[in-house]
Amino acid sequence: MVFGSWTGAIIQNPRGRRGEQALRRVFWGICNFDARMAGGKAERKGRQAPQQQRFQGIQFDKAKGQHILKNPLIVQSIVQKAGIKSTDIVLEIGPGTGNLTMKLLEVAKKVIAVELDPRMVLEVTRRVQGTPYQSHLQVIQGDILKTQLPYFDICVANIPYQISSPLTFKLLSHRPIFRCAVIMYQREFAMRLVAKTGDPLFCRLSVNTQLLARIDHLLKVGKNNFRPPPKVDSSVVRIEPRNPLPSINFKEWDGLIRLCFNRKNKTLGSVFRQKAICAMMEKNFKTHQALSGALENNGEADMVMQLGDTTNDASMDMDGDVDTMDEDMDGSGVPSTFKEKALTVLKEYGYDDKRSSKLTQEDFLKLLTAFNKAGFYFS
Ligand SMILES: C[S@@+](CC[C@H](N)C(=O)[O-])C[C@H]1O[C@@H](n2cnc3c(N)ncnc32)[C@H](O)[C@@H]1O
């Protein structure tokens, strides 16, 4: 008999038999209630239930982020908030023992679940066997980060937290664009995703994800809703990719944002005075010059276009030879031209005394355009 891992929810639910029965109704009727009760009695007597960290003999592997969502009300709420239609294909990442999967199958046309652990693949497959949903579930065994994602309308997942960042960007770069993703993250990561300009947690992650998607916090989930409980609290977040996406070079954008948030509470003026940053900008400048062919064709026009107004800049003597700038040092080891030019751009646009933590998406876009116009690149 296949039974769900809600065992823990029942065992640890302090609301007594009535509460247990209410929760049982929420389940999908495939649980072996007797087995749960046996475990429950052991737990109530203060004895360690033998299957505490196990399910059907499976030892949960914390290194794979195996914290099973044991509270059916939370699962219910996640599925409800996802707004799944009966025509939707849902992508689930890490189905585990299938608690969320079974609820998703009740409302979706199809669920495609990608799971790393073969033991879990077996378990979720077994769990759906003999139910009306058997043919609606496709399980792919593999690492989600290395798997080519199939078409899906919605992604719903309680993910292993260690892959939060690469997974989020993998989803956001997936095409065709999906309708939304409803994902459980570690609370702090979730708060960074939704942080707005001026919030203490506003960071590179907030700026980058909010460029690509609208992000809303949906639900706080305490650690005791999982088995075994993780060390941190969690939150469910809704990610709705922007469509169309802003037409910018994302590598360039991220390069600038990375620099700006390196020291997010310093003024941009002091960020761009740093030796390492000036050196990097000089290197990128030369690379872009070389790639655009300006060095070969001695192109005056290219230089003017790339560098803006260079008429008062002795080192930019319009012969197209950027090496001449190496002579123009200010003692920091970096040609002062680059530093001065970068600072001129910042001043011109009013950003030299601004701090990254206080800038909006629009400000960063303006800044990137201004820098690119002046020949500065960040990738
Ligand atoms: C937090 S558990 C969620 C289990 C289940 N969805 C639930 O809510 O109870 C994360 C699941 O992701 C799986 N997993 C870990 N790393 C993965 C990866 N790189 N790709 C796919 N699945 C992964 C784990 O084996 C585990 O089953």
Side-chain angles (χ1 to χ4, degrees), residues 313-357:
D313 190 341
S315 66
M316 292 291 172
D317 56 6
M318 309 308 286
D319 65 355
D321 182 3
V322 287
D323 287 343
T324 54
M325 286 187 286
D326 288 344
E327 293 155 20
D328 189 12
M329 310 287 269
D330 67 354
S332 66
V334 174
S336 58
T337 311
F338 283 96
K339 196 190 300 188
E340 281 156 19
K341 269 219 148 306
L343 294 176
T344 305
V345 172
L346 286 175
K347 277 197 187 115
E348 204 179 307
Y349 288 82
Y351 289 119
D352 57 325
D353 58 352
K354 296 271 173 15
R355 293 161 212 281
S356 300
S357 55

mmCIF file of all heavy atoms in Angstrom, residues 313-357:
data_model
loop_
_atom_site.group_PDB
_atom_site.id
_atom_site.type_symbol
_atom_site.label_atom_id
_atom_site.label_comp_id
_atom_site.label_asym_id
_atom_site.label_seq_id
_atom_site.Cartn_x
_atom_site.Cartn_y
_atom_site.Cartn_z
ATOM 1 N N ASP A 313 40.529 66.120 -24.276
ATOM 2 C CA ASP A 313 41.211 65.012 -23.627
ATOM 3 C C ASP A 313 42.519 64.707 -24.358
ATOM 4 O O ASP A 313 42.534 64.097 -25.399
ATOM 5 C CB ASP A 313 40.255 63.807 -23.682
ATOM 6 C CG ASP A 313 40.766 62.681 -22.827
ATOM 7 O OD1 ASP A 313 41.971 62.700 -22.509
ATOM 8 O OD2 ASP A 313 39.965 61.805 -22.498
ATOM 9 N N ALA A 314 43.635 65.162 -23.765
ATOM 10 C CA ALA A 314 44.928 65.047 -24.442
ATOM 11 C C ALA A 314 45.274 63.604 -24.774
ATOM 12 O O ALA A 314 45.832 63.315 -25.817
ATOM 13 C CB ALA A 314 46.014 65.637 -23.555
ATOM 14 N N SER A 315 44.907 62.681 -23.865
ATOM 15 C CA SER A 315 45.297 61.295 -24.102
ATOM 16 C C SER A 315 44.488 60.680 -25.239
ATOM 17 O O SER A 315 44.911 59.706 -25.838
ATOM 18 C CB SER A 315 45.103 60.472 -22.841
ATOM 19 O OG SER A 315 43.740 60.395 -22.552
ATOM 20 N N MET A 316 43.305 61.221 -25.487
ATOM 21 C CA MET A 316 42.500 60.734 -26.594
ATOM 22 C C MET A 316 42.793 61.617 -27.792
ATOM 23 O O MET A 316 42.017 62.495 -28.132
ATOM 24 C CB MET A 316 41.009 60.816 -26.248
ATOM 25 C CG MET A 316 40.630 59.854 -25.174
ATOM 26 S SD MET A 316 40.746 58.186 -25.791
ATOM 27 C CE MET A 316 40.497 57.285 -24.303
ATOM 28 N N ASP A 317 43.988 61.421 -28.382
ATOM 29 C CA ASP A 317 44.406 62.354 -29.412
ATOM 30 C C ASP A 317 43.883 61.988 -30.789
ATOM 31 O O ASP A 317 44.410 62.421 -31.796
ATOM 32 C CB ASP A 317 45.942 62.468 -29.425
ATOM 33 C CG ASP A 317 46.581 61.102 -29.618
ATOM 34 O OD1 ASP A 317 45.824 60.128 -29.847
ATOM 35 O OD2 ASP A 317 47.811 61.014 -29.534
ATOM 36 N N MET A 318 42.841 61.185 -30.791
ATOM 37 C CA MET A 318 42.124 60.871 -32.022
ATOM 38 C C MET A 318 42.950 60.105 -33.047
ATOM 39 O O MET A 318 42.555 60.000 -34.184
ATOM 40 C CB MET A 318 41.549 62.146 -32.678
ATOM 41 C CG MET A 318 40.737 63.022 -31.750
ATOM 42 S SD MET A 318 39.453 62.099 -30.894
ATOM 43 C CE MET A 318 38.312 61.875 -32.241
ATOM 44 N N ASP A 319 44.095 59.593 -32.597
ATOM 45 C CA ASP A 319 44.820 58.764 -33.554
ATOM 46 C C ASP A 319 44.413 57.298 -33.401
ATOM 47 O O ASP A 319 44.952 56.426 -34.055
ATOM 48 C CB ASP A 319 46.342 58.916 -33.397
ATOM 49 C CG ASP A 319 46.821 58.385 -32.039
ATOM 50 O OD1 ASP A 319 45.955 58.001 -31.218
ATOM 51 O OD2 ASP A 319 48.031 58.366 -31.825
ATOM 52 N N GLY A 320 43.464 57.072 -32.509
ATOM 53 C CA GLY A 320 42.953 55.721 -32.347
ATOM 54 C C GLY A 320 43.862 54.825 -31.535
ATOM 55 O O GLY A 320 43.553 53.660 -31.321
ATOM 56 N N ASP A 321 44.980 55.362 -31.051
ATOM 57 C CA ASP A 321 45.914 54.513 -30.333
ATOM 58 C C ASP A 321 45.672 54.639 -28.836
ATOM 59 O O ASP A 321 46.150 55.545 -28.174
ATOM 60 C CB ASP A 321 47.349 54.953 -30.692
ATOM 61 C CG ASP A 321 48.371 54.069 -30.005
ATOM 62 O OD1 ASP A 321 47.943 53.123 -29.319
ATOM 63 O OD2 ASP A 321 49.567 54.335 -30.171
ATOM 64 N N VAL A 322 44.894 53.697 -28.295
ATOM 65 C CA VAL A 322 44.544 53.801 -26.878
ATOM 66 C C VAL A 322 45.745 53.618 -25.966
ATOM 67 O O VAL A 322 45.712 54.006 -24.819
ATOM 68 C CB VAL A 322 43.440 52.786 -26.469
ATOM 69 C CG1 VAL A 322 42.114 53.201 -27.015
ATOM 70 C CG2 VAL A 322 43.824 51.387 -26.883
ATOM 71 N N ASP A 323 46.836 53.033 -26.476
ATOM 72 C CA ASP A 323 48.011 52.823 -25.629
ATOM 73 C C ASP A 323 48.590 54.135 -25.115
ATOM 74 O O ASP A 323 49.240 54.157 -24.082
ATOM 75 C CB ASP A 323 49.106 52.070 -26.393
ATOM 76 C CG ASP A 323 48.721 50.605 -26.559
ATOM 77 O OD1 ASP A 323 47.817 50.175 -25.810
ATOM 78 O OD2 ASP A 323 49.281 49.940 -27.433
ATOM 79 N N THR A 324 48.351 55.196 -25.841
ATOM 80 C CA THR A 324 48.888 56.482 -25.394
ATOM 81 C C THR A 324 48.381 56.833 -23.999
ATOM 82 O O THR A 324 49.009 57.569 -23.285
ATOM 83 C CB THR A 324 48.468 57.615 -26.351
ATOM 84 O OG1 THR A 324 47.060 57.575 -26.466
ATOM 85 C CG2 THR A 324 49.122 57.474 -27.702
ATOM 86 N N MET A 325 47.239 56.215 -23.619
ATOM 87 C CA MET A 325 46.686 56.539 -22.316
ATOM 88 C C MET A 325 47.522 55.970 -21.186
ATOM 89 O O MET A 325 47.425 56.418 -20.065
ATOM 90 C CB MET A 325 45.253 56.024 -22.214
ATOM 91 C CG MET A 325 44.315 56.874 -23.021
ATOM 92 S SD MET A 325 42.643 56.408 -22.760
ATOM 93 C CE MET A 325 42.618 54.905 -23.670
ATOM 94 N N ASP A 326 48.309 54.942 -21.500
ATOM 95 C CA ASP A 326 49.129 54.342 -20.453
ATOM 96 C C ASP A 326 50.122 55.339 -19.866
ATOM 97 O O ASP A 326 50.599 55.164 -18.759
ATOM 98 C CB ASP A 326 49.894 53.124 -21.002
ATOM 99 C CG ASP A 326 48.932 51.967 -21.247
ATOM 100 O OD1 ASP A 326 47.796 52.040 -20.713
ATOM 101 O OD2 ASP A 326 49.312 51.046 -21.973
ATOM 102 N N GLU A 327 50.413 56.369 -20.651
ATOM 103 C CA GLU A 327 51.366 57.362 -20.132
ATOM 104 C C GLU A 327 50.711 58.296 -19.128
ATOM 105 O O GLU A 327 51.366 59.012 -18.402
ATOM 106 C CB GLU A 327 51.908 58.202 -21.299
ATOM 107 C CG GLU A 327 52.773 57.370 -22.238
ATOM 108 C CD GLU A 327 52.799 57.956 -23.634
ATOM 109 O OE1 GLU A 327 52.495 59.155 -23.783
ATOM 110 O OE2 GLU A 327 53.108 57.194 -24.561
ATOM 111 N N ASP A 328 49.425 58.298 -19.123
ATOM 112 C CA ASP A 328 48.705 59.277 -18.340
ATOM 113 C C ASP A 328 48.295 58.686 -16.987
ATOM 114 O O ASP A 328 47.156 58.351 -16.735
ATOM 115 C CB ASP A 328 47.456 59.682 -19.151
ATOM 116 C CG ASP A 328 46.759 60.864 -18.517
ATOM 117 O OD1 ASP A 328 47.347 61.493 -17.627
ATOM 118 O OD2 ASP A 328 45.613 61.130 -18.914
ATOM 119 N N MET A 329 49.280 58.528 -16.104
ATOM 120 C CA MET A 329 49.004 57.875 -14.839
ATOM 121 C C MET A 329 48.849 58.915 -13.734
ATOM 122 O O MET A 329 49.438 59.979 -13.757
ATOM 123 C CB MET A 329 50.170 56.944 -14.479
ATOM 124 C CG MET A 329 50.592 56.020 -15.572
ATOM 125 S SD MET A 329 49.420 54.707 -15.850
ATOM 126 C CE MET A 329 50.088 53.488 -14.748
ATOM 127 N N ASP A 330 48.058 58.566 -12.720
ATOM 128 C CA ASP A 330 47.902 59.494 -11.593
ATOM 129 C C ASP A 330 48.504 58.936 -10.302
ATOM 130 O O ASP A 330 48.190 59.372 -9.218
ATOM 131 C CB ASP A 330 46.429 59.825 -11.384
ATOM 132 C CG ASP A 330 45.646 58.605 -10.916
ATOM 133 O OD1 ASP A 330 46.242 57.509 -10.876
ATOM 134 O OD2 ASP A 330 44.464 58.758 -10.586
ATOM 135 N N GLY A 331 49.354 57.933 -10.451
ATOM 136 C CA GLY A 331 49.989 57.366 -9.263
ATOM 137 C C GLY A 331 49.261 56.150 -8.733
ATOM 138 O O GLY A 331 49.780 55.410 -7.915
ATOM 139 N N SER A 332 48.019 55.921 -9.168
ATOM 140 C CA SER A 332 47.268 54.759 -8.668
ATOM 141 C C SER A 332 47.557 53.528 -9.504
ATOM 142 O O SER A 332 47.073 52.447 -9.206
ATOM 143 C CB SER A 332 45.768 55.055 -8.708
ATOM 144 O OG SER A 332 45.362 55.197 -10.054
ATOM 145 N N GLY A 333 48.354 53.683 -10.557
ATOM 146 C CA GLY A 333 48.636 52.551 -11.434
ATOM 147 C C GLY A 333 47.600 52.420 -12.532
ATOM 148 O O GLY A 333 47.657 51.506 -13.343
ATOM 149 N N VAL A 334 46.611 53.280 -12.533
ATOM 150 C CA VAL A 334 45.550 53.210 -13.542
ATOM 151 C C VAL A 334 45.558 54.522 -14.315
ATOM 152 O O VAL A 334 45.703 55.585 -13.717
ATOM 153 C CB VAL A 334 44.173 53.041 -12.845
ATOM 154 C CG1 VAL A 334 43.060 53.119 -13.862
ATOM 155 C CG2 VAL A 334 44.133 51.748 -12.088
ATOM 156 N N PRO A 335 45.445 54.466 -15.641
ATOM 157 C CA PRO A 335 45.422 55.709 -16.385
ATOM 158 C C PRO A 335 44.308 56.613 -15.854
ATOM 159 O O PRO A 335 43.166 56.176 -15.736
ATOM 160 C CB PRO A 335 45.128 55.253 -17.811
ATOM 161 C CG PRO A 335 45.484 53.821 -17.852
ATOM 162 C CD PRO A 335 45.281 53.292 -16.483
ATOM 163 N N SER A 336 44.652 57.842 -15.503
ATOM 164 C CA SER A 336 43.661 58.723 -14.891
ATOM 165 C C SER A 336 42.517 59.019 -15.841
ATOM 166 O O SER A 336 41.414 59.321 -15.420
ATOM 167 C CB SER A 336 44.330 60.011 -14.425
ATOM 168 O OG SER A 336 44.945 60.623 -15.534
ATOM 169 N N THR A 337 42.779 58.915 -17.146
ATOM 170 C CA THR A 337 41.746 59.212 -18.131
ATOM 171 C C THR A 337 40.494 58.393 -17.877
ATOM 172 O O THR A 337 39.388 58.915 -17.929
ATOM 173 C CB THR A 337 42.268 58.870 -19.538
ATOM 174 O OG1 THR A 337 43.522 59.468 -19.653
ATOM 175 C CG2 THR A 337 41.326 59.362 -20.592
ATOM 176 N N PHE A 338 40.684 57.131 -17.621
ATOM 177 C CA PHE A 338 39.531 56.258 -17.416
ATOM 178 C C PHE A 338 38.759 56.658 -16.175
ATOM 179 O O PHE A 338 37.551 56.764 -16.185
ATOM 180 C CB PHE A 338 39.975 54.790 -17.330
ATOM 181 C CG PHE A 338 40.283 54.231 -18.680
ATOM 182 C CD1 PHE A 338 41.573 54.199 -19.148
ATOM 183 C CD2 PHE A 338 39.247 53.784 -19.505
ATOM 184 C CE1 PHE A 338 41.848 53.715 -20.407
ATOM 185 C CE2 PHE A 338 39.522 53.298 -20.762
ATOM 186 C CZ PHE A 338 40.830 53.261 -21.229
ATOM 187 N N LYS A 339 39.516 56.907 -15.115
ATOM 188 C CA LYS A 339 38.867 57.291 -13.874
ATOM 189 C C LYS A 339 38.112 58.609 -14.061
ATOM 190 O O LYS A 339 36.936 58.715 -13.715
ATOM 191 C CB LYS A 339 39.931 57.448 -12.782
ATOM 192 C CG LYS A 339 39.313 57.464 -11.397
ATOM 193 C CD LYS A 339 40.264 57.843 -10.319
ATOM 194 C CE LYS A 339 41.449 56.955 -10.173
ATOM 195 N NZ LYS A 339 42.251 57.251 -8.987
ATOM 196 N N GLU A 340 38.809 59.570 -14.674
ATOM 197 C CA GLU A 340 38.178 60.883 -14.853
ATOM 198 C C GLU A 340 36.957 60.802 -15.745
ATOM 199 O O GLU A 340 35.943 61.431 -15.493
ATOM 200 C CB GLU A 340 39.192 61.878 -15.415
ATOM 201 C CG GLU A 340 40.116 62.410 -14.324
ATOM 202 C CD GLU A 340 41.437 62.908 -14.870
ATOM 203 O OE1 GLU A 340 41.500 63.179 -16.092
ATOM 204 O OE2 GLU A 340 42.395 63.001 -14.091
ATOM 205 N N LYS A 341 37.088 60.019 -16.786
ATOM 206 C CA LYS A 341 35.958 59.898 -17.724
ATOM 207 C C LYS A 341 34.752 59.261 -17.043
ATOM 208 O O LYS A 341 33.626 59.702 -17.195
ATOM 209 C CB LYS A 341 36.374 59.062 -18.942
ATOM 210 C CG LYS A 341 36.915 59.939 -20.044
ATOM 211 C CD LYS A 341 36.441 59.441 -21.382
ATOM 212 C CE LYS A 341 36.242 60.514 -22.415
ATOM 213 N NZ LYS A 341 35.411 61.603 -22.072
ATOM 214 N N ALA A 342 35.044 58.205 -16.267
ATOM 215 C CA ALA A 342 33.946 57.533 -15.564
ATOM 216 C C ALA A 342 33.283 58.505 -14.589
ATOM 217 O O ALA A 342 32.057 58.588 -14.509
ATOM 218 C CB ALA A 342 34.471 56.314 -14.819
ATOM 219 N N LEU A 343 34.113 59.273 -13.887
ATOM 220 C CA LEU A 343 33.557 60.224 -12.916
ATOM 221 C C LEU A 343 32.790 61.339 -13.614
ATOM 222 O O LEU A 343 31.764 61.815 -13.119
ATOM 223 C CB LEU A 343 34.685 60.796 -12.048
ATOM 224 C CG LEU A 343 35.354 59.751 -11.136
ATOM 225 C CD1 LEU A 343 36.528 60.340 -10.376
ATOM 226 C CD2 LEU A 343 34.355 59.131 -10.163
ATOM 227 N N THR A 344 33.277 61.727 -14.809
ATOM 228 C CA THR A 344 32.570 62.758 -15.572
ATOM 229 C C THR A 344 31.173 62.261 -15.946
ATOM 230 O O THR A 344 30.185 62.989 -15.827
ATOM 231 C CB THR A 344 33.366 63.108 -16.865
ATOM 232 O OG1 THR A 344 34.671 63.468 -16.458
ATOM 233 C CG2 THR A 344 32.721 64.228 -17.653
ATOM 234 N N VAL A 345 31.104 60.988 -16.374
ATOM 235 C CA VAL A 345 29.791 60.426 -16.735
ATOM 236 C C VAL A 345 28.877 60.446 -15.514
ATOM 237 O O VAL A 345 27.719 60.884 -15.586
ATOM 238 C CB VAL A 345 29.948 58.979 -17.272
ATOM 239 C CG1 VAL A 345 28.594 58.320 -17.475
ATOM 240 C CG2 VAL A 345 30.746 58.964 -18.567
ATOM 241 N N LEU A 346 29.412 59.990 -14.385
ATOM 242 C CA LEU A 346 28.583 59.946 -13.170
ATOM 243 C C LEU A 346 28.068 61.335 -12.797
ATOM 244 O O LEU A 346 26.895 61.507 -12.462
ATOM 245 C CB LEU A 346 29.407 59.386 -11.999
ATOM 246 C CG LEU A 346 29.689 57.883 -12.023
ATOM 247 C CD1 LEU A 346 30.620 57.503 -10.869
ATOM 248 C CD2 LEU A 346 28.396 57.080 -11.910
ATOM 249 N N LYS A 347 28.970 62.317 -12.877
ATOM 250 C CA LYS A 347 28.596 63.682 -12.490
ATOM 251 C C LYS A 347 27.555 64.242 -13.449
ATOM 252 O O LYS A 347 26.560 64.833 -13.040
ATOM 253 C CB LYS A 347 29.837 64.588 -12.492
ATOM 254 C CG LYS A 347 30.623 64.467 -11.215
ATOM 255 C CD LYS A 347 31.597 65.637 -11.035
ATOM 256 C CE LYS A 347 32.468 65.354 -9.830
ATOM 257 N NZ LYS A 347 33.872 65.182 -10.137
ATOM 258 N N GLU A 348 27.829 64.024 -14.742
ATOM 259 C CA GLU A 348 26.944 64.549 -15.778
ATOM 260 C C GLU A 348 25.501 64.087 -15.565
ATOM 261 O O GLU A 348 24.560 64.831 -15.775
ATOM 262 C CB GLU A 348 27.446 64.049 -17.137
ATOM 263 C CG GLU A 348 27.037 64.904 -18.307
ATOM 264 C CD GLU A 348 27.618 64.323 -19.588
ATOM 265 O OE1 GLU A 348 28.854 64.095 -19.643
ATOM 266 O OE2 GLU A 348 26.822 64.062 -20.493
ATOM 267 N N TYR A 349 25.357 62.830 -15.125
ATOM 268 C CA TYR A 349 24.009 62.281 -14.941
ATOM 269 C C TYR A 349 23.529 62.375 -13.484
ATOM 270 O O TYR A 349 22.477 61.855 -13.136
ATOM 271 C CB TYR A 349 23.953 60.827 -15.441
ATOM 272 C CG TYR A 349 23.998 60.751 -16.948
ATOM 273 C CD1 TYR A 349 25.204 60.823 -17.634
ATOM 274 C CD2 TYR A 349 22.821 60.640 -17.697
ATOM 275 C CE1 TYR A 349 25.258 60.781 -19.024
ATOM 276 C CE2 TYR A 349 22.849 60.593 -19.080
ATOM 277 C CZ TYR A 349 24.081 60.661 -19.737
ATOM 278 O OH TYR A 349 24.111 60.620 -21.108
ATOM 279 N N GLY A 350 24.335 63.013 -12.664
ATOM 280 C CA GLY A 350 23.925 63.249 -11.271
ATOM 281 C C GLY A 350 24.016 62.036 -10.359
ATOM 282 O O GLY A 350 23.285 61.950 -9.367
ATOM 283 N N TYR A 351 24.899 61.088 -10.691
ATOM 284 C CA TYR A 351 24.971 59.871 -9.877
ATOM 285 C C TYR A 351 26.229 59.773 -9.011
ATOM 286 O O TYR A 351 26.376 58.815 -8.265
ATOM 287 C CB TYR A 351 24.901 58.620 -10.766
ATOM 288 C CG TYR A 351 23.539 58.393 -11.370
ATOM 289 C CD1 TYR A 351 23.342 58.372 -12.744
ATOM 290 C CD2 TYR A 351 22.435 58.198 -10.543
ATOM 291 C CE1 TYR A 351 22.086 58.175 -13.292
ATOM 292 C CE2 TYR A 351 21.171 57.997 -11.080
ATOM 293 C CZ TYR A 351 21.003 57.983 -12.451
ATOM 294 O OH TYR A 351 19.755 57.786 -12.974
ATOM 295 N N ASP A 352 27.147 60.724 -9.120
ATOM 296 C CA ASP A 352 28.421 60.565 -8.410
ATOM 297 C C ASP A 352 28.252 60.503 -6.895
ATOM 298 O O ASP A 352 28.972 59.778 -6.217
ATOM 299 C CB ASP A 352 29.422 61.657 -8.811
ATOM 300 C CG ASP A 352 28.874 63.049 -8.556
ATOM 301 O OD1 ASP A 352 27.648 63.237 -8.733
ATOM 302 O OD2 ASP A 352 29.659 63.936 -8.179
ATOM 303 N N ASP A 353 27.270 61.231 -6.350
ATOM 304 C CA ASP A 353 27.097 61.189 -4.892
ATOM 305 C C ASP A 353 25.917 60.298 -4.479
ATOM 306 O O ASP A 353 25.455 60.338 -3.346
ATOM 307 C CB ASP A 353 26.923 62.610 -4.339
ATOM 308 C CG ASP A 353 25.732 63.314 -4.967
ATOM 309 O OD1 ASP A 353 25.143 62.766 -5.931
ATOM 310 O OD2 ASP A 353 25.365 64.404 -4.481
ATOM 311 N N LYS A 354 25.426 59.481 -5.418
ATOM 312 C CA LYS A 354 24.309 58.577 -5.102
ATOM 313 C C LYS A 354 24.863 57.205 -4.688
ATOM 314 O O LYS A 354 25.939 56.807 -5.096
ATOM 315 C CB LYS A 354 23.404 58.399 -6.329
ATOM 316 C CG LYS A 354 22.733 59.677 -6.771
ATOM 317 C CD LYS A 354 21.429 59.831 -6.043
ATOM 318 C CE LYS A 354 20.686 61.116 -6.220
ATOM 319 N NZ LYS A 354 20.991 62.042 -7.253
ATOM 320 N N ARG A 355 24.086 56.504 -3.874
ATOM 321 C CA ARG A 355 24.481 55.156 -3.441
ATOM 322 C C ARG A 355 23.597 54.119 -4.120
ATOM 323 O O ARG A 355 22.389 54.351 -4.287
ATOM 324 C CB ARG A 355 24.324 55.027 -1.912
ATOM 325 C CG ARG A 355 25.291 55.903 -1.172
ATOM 326 C CD ARG A 355 24.878 56.168 0.270
ATOM 327 N NE ARG A 355 25.330 57.503 0.676
ATOM 328 C CZ ARG A 355 26.563 57.794 1.041
ATOM 329 N NH1 ARG A 355 27.458 56.844 1.116
ATOM 330 N NH2 ARG A 355 26.910 59.026 1.359
ATOM 331 N N SER A 356 24.186 52.966 -4.477
ATOM 332 C CA SER A 356 23.441 51.926 -5.199
ATOM 333 C C SER A 356 22.186 51.497 -4.448
ATOM 334 O O SER A 356 21.150 51.221 -5.048
ATOM 335 C CB SER A 356 24.308 50.700 -5.418
ATOM 336 O OG SER A 356 25.419 51.064 -6.174
ATOM 337 N N SER A 357 22.303 51.458 -3.120
ATOM 338 C CA SER A 357 21.163 50.994 -2.323
ATOM 339 C C SER A 357 19.947 51.896 -2.484
ATOM 340 O O SER A 357 18.831 51.522 -2.136
ATOM 341 C CB SER A 357 21.557 50.914 -0.849
ATOM 342 O OG SER A 357 22.058 52.162 -0.426
#
